[in-house]
Amino acid sequence: MLTGNKRIVIADTQSVQNNTTGDRIKTVSRAKALAAMVELVGIQTAQIAQVQGFNLSYSVTVKRVTYGGEKFLYFGGELYEVKTMGKAKLPTDMLLNVQVSYDKAVKAAIEEWISDAGY
């Protein structure tokens, strides 16, 4: 995954019960597709995160008004979890520091949302 301007999906999920089987499945409760700048996380940020137990992958710059506290980001075929937030270079932006998430149920729910939305 190279850095640069990317189309990302920011999403929250919820667990709902299937009426026919009774199984609990993950579904997208809210999501947005955005254009955002994806960069490698800075060395100082990465070191501080490692002390806290995170292994940050990327820093994603999004417009402050578009981010509503969503927990997951999806881009480049991978699922990422927002671990920390910070201020960006511009006051209208914010920086989301993310790490890879291996939650297959959440990834499948977001991919289903993407295909249903036609992205």
Side-chain angles (χ1 to χ4, degrees):
M1 169 71 198
L2 299 175
T3 59
N5 284 321
K6 304 290 177 194
R7 183 186 64 102
I8 66 166
V9 173
I10 56 175
D12 270 334
T13 59
Q14 62 185 358
S15 179
V16 295
Q17 190 169 11
N18 185 321
N19 290 333
T20 55
T21 64
D23 294 337
R24 297 202 66 80
I25 57 171
K26 296 274 185 167
T27 61
V28 173
S29 59
R30 65 181 176 163
K32 299 175 215 169
L34 307 169
M37 176 61 78
V38 176
E39 301 172 322
L40 294 174
V41 70
I43 189 69
Q44 186 175 6
T45 304
Q47 288 173 339
I48 292 170
Q50 282 181 338
V51 170
Q52 296 174 346
F54 306 141
N55 188 14
L56 298 177
S57 302
Y58 295 104
S59 292
V60 181
T61 304
V62 297
K63 295 293 181 193
R64 193 173 292 273
V65 295
T66 60
Y67 182 69
E70 290 86 356
K71 186 175 179 180
F72 296 102
L73 272 80
Y74 181 88
F75 59 89
E78 292 290 329
L79 180 67
Y80 298 91
E81 185 177 355
V82 176
K83 285 301 189 179
T84 62
M85 294 176 282
K87 62 181 184 177
K89 295 175 185 168
L90 298 175
T92 57
D93 295 340
M94 66 187 313
L95 200 61
L96 305 176
N97 296 309
V98 299
Q99 80 174 6
V100 175
S101 176
Y102 298 103
D103 191 330
K104 292 178 183 177
V106 172
K107 184 176 180 181
I110 293 173
E111 288 173 342
E112 181 180 347
W113 181 87
I114 290 169
S115 67
D116 290 347
Y119 293 116

